Amino acid sequence: MLTIGKLGEAAGVKVPTIRYYEQIGLLPEAERSAGNQRLYGRKAQERLAFIRHARDLGFTLEAIRDLLSLSDKPDQSCAAADAIAKAQLAEVESRIARLIALKAELERMVVQCAGGRIADCRVIEVLGDHALCATDHRHPEVEPAH
Amino acid sequence: MLTIGKLGEAAGVKVPTIRYYEQIGLLPEAERSAGNQRLYGRKAQERLAFIRHARDLGFTLEAIRDLLSLSDKPDQSCAAADAIAKAQLAEVESRIARLIALKAELERMVVQCAGGRIADCRVIEVLGDHALCATDHRHPEVEPAH
DNA sequence: CTTGAAGCTATAGTTGCTAGAGACATTAGA
DNA sequence: TCTAATGTCTCTAGCAACTATAGCTTCAAG
């Protein structure tokens, strides 16, 4: 049995994150030691690894919740799991496409900046006027990492 | 002079978002009508367009705050603005690289799924075991859009 | 003049954690 | 065995960048 710290180390997940996953019901409530500390066995370890891996692949916690509940029903069809993965793939693809458009526009901006005064700066100028843009990079969906 | 609704429509920004930008000091406090409603002139409109455009290009509000304060000092060097844009470009590039790795892994997963039972599902299996992955897609930094 | 849309403030919720406070548990070394 | 350091406990609040809700007031059209 592992303490929460060892488990986190093993899975590459920070301790508060594990407690958070328990709190939102993604991990079951852990067994406790005599001194009320959480203890984890192999099953919990595998479940956490699953979560971590899915997070690494960009799945949301909601999607992971669904995937986990599917993985608990080995005899059902895997169509639902497949659909979740495909949706995630589509999401990733659309984010890539969008980021590539952004990259092009940022490159244009940066290259054109001659390094003079702000008043002549292409970066500032282009930001002030979308008409100066080559590509149509509107629409949201670009959020950065934490 | 535009009301907040008209301004939002013109700039493609929702009304509460404009109020939020004012609240965090990204937009100056708006003039008010006799009935206490916000009124915006051309300057505010340009400033909001700048913010919107920069957001579309993925700049954080903090970066935008810096860019705006730079654009208020037309005689200074534009090196700082250039640096901010270059940092954003680097950020976008690294996100693209990471997403491409994710895409490859998700494609592998989806293609291998034969569509049978959960117990045989490659999607579930791969998520449970990172060793089954071809690429090294670890590290965070993938957060989705809001 | 009335009605419905648009505006106001203030607060809370979203996602996926992370950080802090203050108290208890465990473990390694002297 | 004692002690000090580390680990763990709960609870609360904070991050980005909004979005949504509630309960009010103001405005514009018919």
Side-chain angles (χ1 to χ4, degrees), chain A residues 3 5 19 32 38:
Chain A
T3 62
R19 288 196 280 248
R32 298 297 181 117
R38 289 173 180 82

Side-chain angles (χ1 to χ4, degrees), chain B residues 3-6 15 19 32 36-38 143 146:
Chain B
T3 62
I4 196 169
K6 298 295 175 193
V15 167
R19 288 196 281 248
R32 298 296 182 120
N36 196 38
Q37 302 197 344
R38 289 174 182 82
E143 287 314 297
H146 291 308

Side-chain angles (χ1 to χ4, degrees), chain B:
Chain B
M1 297 295 259
L2 302 176
T3 62
I4 196 169
K6 298 295 175 193
L7 177 68
E9 212 172 310
V13 173
K14 285 180 190 148
V15 167
T17 304
I18 299 175
R19 288 196 281 248
Y20 169 71
Y21 287 161
E22 177 182 312
Q23 190 194 310
I24 63 169
L26 213 56
L27 288 175
E29 292 196 14
E31 284 179 64
R32 298 296 182 120
S33 73
N36 196 38
Q37 302 197 344
R38 289 174 182 82
L39 291 177
Y40 299 91
R42 171 188 287 275
K43 266 183 69 175
Q45 214 176 137
E46 281 169 8
R47 198 170 172 96
L48 182 56
F50 185 104
I51 294 170
R52 170 71 211 259
H53 193 193
R55 283 297 295 139
D56 278 349
L57 285 165
F59 289 90
T60 65
L61 293 183
E62 259 319 287
I64 294 171
R65 197 186 293 278
D66 292 345
L67 289 167
L68 281 169
S69 92
L70 287 169
S71 82
D72 288 340
K73 298 167 193 155
D75 286 327
Q76 265 187 241
S77 150
C78 81
D82 200 39
I84 292 170
K86 279 185 174 142
Q88 175 62 13
L89 176 56
E91 174 69 35
V92 166
E93 280 170 345
S94 99
R95 250 186 279 161
I96 290 172
R98 171 136 172 74
L99 286 171
I100 284 175
L102 294 197
K103 173 172 182 264
E105 211 51 65
L106 287 166
E107 274 169 347
R108 253 170 53 94
M109 262 175 51
V110 163
V111 164
Q112 289 182 4
C113 177
R117 293 179 316 138
I118 286 281
D120 312 315
C121 182
R122 282 299 280 180
V123 169
I124 299 289
E125 189 187 349
V126 170
L127 285 174
D129 187 358
H130 176 74
L132 298 174
C133 282
T135 54
D136 197 19
H137 53 76
R138 285 166 208 260
H139 314 299
E141 321 160 31
V142 197
E143 287 314 297
H146 291 308

Side-chain angles (χ1 to χ4, degrees), chain A residues 3-5 15 19 32 36-38 143:
Chain A
T3 62
I4 196 169
V15 166
R19 288 196 280 248
R32 298 297 181 117
N36 196 37
Q37 303 197 343
R38 289 173 180 82
E143 287 315 297

